[in-house]
Every structure is written in C-alpha cells, then in structure tokens.
C-alpha cells in the first residue's frame, strides 16, 4: 500500500524573541504569571509588513533543502493557517509562486491550531489516492495580527512562526511496522464556537477581528479530547502508548501538555516542548517542534512519532508516523 513519508523538515521564526518582561512593559502582566500559568518565557513576532506567506516560504524552502529537493519536485502544497495574507486567494498559492512552482495544486486548510494535523491528513489521503507524489505541508501563522493587545488574558499566549515538512509517497506492507504515516484521526464540534473564535471576518464585519477565548473552558476540553484522540489514532495504527517514542503536540500551554501526558500515563520525557520559547503559534507549532527535534537528533529513523492538536472550532486530531 502507499505510505507517505516525512523526508524533510524546516522552520522559520521571525525577528528576535520578545520576553515576558518586555511584554509586561506594554501589557498589565508579569513574567511570573505567564510562566506559572503557561510555561511560556518568550515569543517571536513578525515585523510590520512581514506576512504569513513570507514566513511559510522561508520554512518551505528550508524543508526542501533538508530533503535535498527542489520546488519543481513538489506537486502539492497544503498550508494550515488561520491568519492568511488575504481573504483570498489561498496563502498556499502565494507560497507556490514564491517557490517558482507552476504545476500541481496549492490550497489552505482552516482548522486553526489543528491546521497542521488536518493538512497532513489531507495530503496523506491525496497520496494514498495517487493524486500527489511529493507535497509540502506547512503550518504558518501571524497571530500577532489578530490579538487584542488590550486583552491580557489572550495576548500573552501567542506568537508568530512557520514550519513545514516535505511528504513523499512510498510503499509499505500495511502493517504497524511500516515507515511513514500510519494513521490520522480528525474531529470537530462546532457547538463550541464561542470558546475560541475571532470576532470578525469578511461575511460578518468585513474586518479581520480579534481572537476571543474562554481559556478555562478550552483547557478542560483540550485535555479530555486530546487524550481520547491519541488513543484512537494509536488504535488505528495498531499501536499502544508503550510504542510511542515521541509526542509532538500542538504547543498551547505546558499545563495542557503535562495534563494530557498524565491522562495517557505517558512519560513527560517523551514530549517535545517548544511552547516555552515559541508560545502558541497555532498551526505552525507542530512542524516547528518537529523541525527542532529532528535537527537536534532526538527523532530517529524507525521511531514512532505521535502528533496531536486542538484548536478553535473546536477542531482536534492526531496523527501517528513511524519516522
Ligand atoms: N497577567 C496577569 N494576570 C492575568 C493575566 C495576565 N496575562 N491574564 C489573566 N490574569 C488574571 C485574571 O484576571 C484573573 O485574576 P482574578 O483572579 O483577579 O480575576 C487571574 O489571572 C486568573 O485568571 P484565570 O483565567 O482564572 O487563569 P487560568 O488559571 O485559567 O489561566 C489560561 C488562564 C488562559 C492560561 C488558561 O485558562 C489556559 O491556558 N487555557 C487554555 C488556553 C489555550 O491554550 N488556548 C489555545 C488552545 S489552541
């Protein structure tokens, strides 16, 4: 059977890090509160005029370099973002043009913080249906543009960035021992819209709007939903928590990462954590964390890597890959 393999990773963080102490100069907050509640110490913010597509293009180019490939090798770009450059066209098409790629298809996936897991699932499914051979799956965000900087309950939590992987179709036996993407599980429940949303958009206010969140409620749903979907994705892959070498979660909050690991009975040492340095970069957080753990040699060939995320919608999902 066709199995898609991650053959390259790339990351891009804009500018210099902005520490909690720097943020506390313009927002009524403190380094102590942010670290205690979230584990975040700093975040990166895009410069004026630096767009989601600029970040995505950098990450995509780095993923291609890491894979030893050229843009002409790619026949699909799937970009997860909730902060597109424009209402349309898809930011993915700007990345396509930026790479000088003229064939194949490029489109965005909108699942907020679950955007990378959704994008990976879509690209993997297209490969399994022979609709693509080599894809870029990107998560890229400029959340700083949709933050209400007068709302300290949200603006301290997020950052900007982009991560990308190159996915290539290969062959497997259809067993849990295969290398490549072994399972994807996606969920959403639109009844929870009001827990995490942006109060604007083309059809409602004709303005981009600002992020609004009921943090405590989101927290409760996150731990339960993530533990459940991890179990489902492992069962679909024919594996158990004991088989997992690395958890690469969406990086929303250190307490959510710890709570989910505890609920699953998994060791904290298996979690790749970047939320301390990047804050919550929404769809970009998983590919940013992947790129870091691959570059520093933690993730090795043959190991089982579990990705999981939850975001506005609510949306959530998980993906199991043998590296
Ligand atoms: N700095 C200082 N104080 C702050 C603050 C900030 N940035 N933000 C809120 N506070 C204050 C509140 O005003 C409140 O004060 P009060 O008790 O005097 O009313 C106090 O801190 C506690 O606020 P609360 O909202 O109860 O804190 P919490 O423990 O629930 O933590 C979050 C808040 C947002 C960190 C937490 O709910 C969370 O992480 N939720 C999940 C959010 C998330 O990850 N979303 C993205 C999912 S993709």
């Amino acid at each position: 059977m066709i199995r898609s393999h991650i053959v390259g990773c790339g990351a891009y963080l804009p500018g210099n890090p902005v520490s909690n102490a720097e943020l506390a100069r313009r927002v009524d907050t403190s380094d102590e509160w942010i670290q205690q509640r979230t584990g975040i110490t700093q975040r990166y913010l895009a410069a004026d005029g630096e767009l989601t597509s600029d970040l995505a293009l950098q990450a995509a180019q780095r993923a291609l370099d890491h894979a030893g490939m050229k843009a002409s090798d790619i026949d699909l770009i799937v970009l997860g973002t909730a902060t597109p450059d424009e209402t349309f066209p898809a930011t993915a098409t700007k990345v396509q043009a930026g790479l000088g790629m003229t064939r194949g298809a490029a489109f965005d996936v909108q699942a907020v913080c679950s955007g990378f897991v959704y994008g990976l699932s879509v690209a993997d499914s297209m490969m399994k249906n022979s609709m693509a051979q080599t894809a870029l799956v990107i998560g890229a965000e400029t959340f700083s543009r949709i933050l209400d900087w007068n709302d300290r309950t949200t603006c301290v939590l997020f950052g900007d960035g982009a991560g990308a992987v190159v996915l290539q179709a290969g062959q497997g036996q259809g067993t849990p021992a295969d290398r490549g993407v072994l399972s994807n599980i996606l969920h959403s429940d639109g009844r929870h819209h009001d827990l995490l949303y942006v109060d604007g958009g083309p059809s409602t206010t004709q303005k981009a709007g600002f992020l609004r969140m009921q943090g405590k409620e989101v927290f409760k749903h996150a731990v339960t939903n993530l533990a459940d979907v991890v179990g489902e994705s492992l069962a679909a892959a024919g594996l158990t928590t004991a088989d997992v070498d690395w958890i690469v979660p969406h990086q929303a909050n250190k307490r959510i990462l710890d709570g989910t690991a505890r609920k699953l009975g998994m060791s904290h040492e298996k979690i790749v954590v970047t939320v301390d340095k990047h804050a919550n970069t929404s769809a970009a957080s998983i590919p940013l964390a992947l790129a870091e753990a691959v570059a520093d040699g933690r993730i090795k060939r043959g190991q089982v890597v579990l990705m999981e995320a939850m975001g506005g919608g609510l949306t959530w999902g998980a993906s199991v890959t043998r590296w």
Side-chain angles (χ1 to χ4, degrees):
M1 70 178 290
I2 296 173
R3 290 281 196 200
S4 57
H5 299 252
I6 295 176
V7 295
C9 294
Y12 180 76
L13 292 157
N16 297 314
V18 178
S19 70
N20 291 343
E22 278 173 85
L23 210 59
R25 277 184 226 129
R26 53 173 163 147
V27 179
D28 179 20
T29 188
S30 67
D31 177 43
E32 193 195 356
W33 191 95
I34 300 172
Q35 284 211 44
Q36 210 174 56
R37 294 300 217 283
T38 70
I40 296 165
T41 66
Q42 60 172 42
R43 74 282 299 136
Y44 293 79
L45 302 178
D48 286 347
E50 196 174 20
L51 307 184
T52 295
S53 62
D54 298 323
L55 275 49
L57 184 57
Q58 295 283 347
Q61 193 58 65
R62 288 174 188 188
L64 284 171
D65 292 346
H66 184 231
M69 288 186 182
K70 300 183 296 297
S72 54
D73 296 323
I74 302 294
D75 55 12
L76 174 68
I77 299 178
V78 183
L79 189 151
T81 189
T83 45
D85 289 8
E86 294 151 345
T87 300
F88 78 78
T91 300
T93 59
K94 293 182 82 174
V95 176
Q96 183 188 29
L99 289 171
M101 173 189 155
T102 51
R103 69 188 185 113
F107 57 90
D108 292 355
V109 165
Q110 208 325 6
V112 205
C113 297
S114 313
F116 183 77
V117 170
Y118 267 64
L120 187 65
S121 174
V122 169
D124 178 52
S125 303
M126 288 178 70
M127 283 187 180
K128 291 209 166 82
N129 285 300
S130 302
M131 289 177 72
Q133 294 299 313
T134 312
L136 271 166
V137 182
I138 308 170
E141 303 278 15
T142 48
F143 256 50
S144 60
R145 306 271 155 72
I146 54 162
L147 295 175
D148 176 351
W149 289 97
N150 294 312
D151 176 10
R152 67 176 183 171
T153 68
T154 54
C155 72
V156 302
L157 305 175
F158 297 89
D160 301 334
V165 300
V166 177
L167 202 63
Q168 191 169 41
Q171 290 296 320
Q173 302 301 312
T175 74
D178 283 353
R179 290 184 59 232
V181 178
L182 299 175
S183 70
N184 299 295
I185 303 282
L186 304 180
H187 289 291
S188 65
D189 187 344
R191 289 174 300 176
H192 301 301
H193 168 276
D194 291 357
L195 300 189
L196 180 51
Y197 68 104
V198 167
D199 64 1
S203 186
T204 47
T205 59
Q206 296 80 54
K207 294 194 178 77
F210 292 119
L211 182 148
R212 304 294 174 205
M213 179 171 72
Q214 296 176 35
K216 265 197 206 318
E217 287 305 310
V218 172
F219 196 108
K220 281 188 226 154
H221 281 277
V223 175
T224 309
N225 290 344
L226 290 172
D228 288 351
V229 78
V230 163
E232 281 180 80
S233 65
L234 285 170
L239 298 171
T240 70
T241 50
D243 298 308
V244 176
D245 294 291
W246 294 107
I247 310 171
V248 184
H250 166 52
Q251 311 278 325
N253 182 321
K254 182 75 168 56
R255 284 158 60 214
I256 294 179
L257 306 191
D258 291 343
T260 308
R262 215 171 19 247
K263 203 156 195 276
L264 289 163
M266 295 174 82
S267 160
H268 291 202
E269 278 142 36
K270 291 184 170 184
I271 311 175
V272 176
V273 179
T274 53
V275 67
D276 52 337
K277 293 172 295 183
H278 301 169
N280 181 346
T281 56
S282 183
S285 85
I286 289 178
L288 277 168
L290 265 183
E292 188 171 299
V294 169
D296 67 20
R298 268 177 290 175
I299 294 178
K300 296 181 182 64
R301 191 184 166 101
Q303 289 187 329
V304 173
V305 177
L306 172 75
M307 299 169 236
E308 42 92 333
M310 194 193 85
L314 295 176
T315 57
W316 64 102
S319 182
V320 180
T321 291
R322 189 181 295 280
W323 211 258

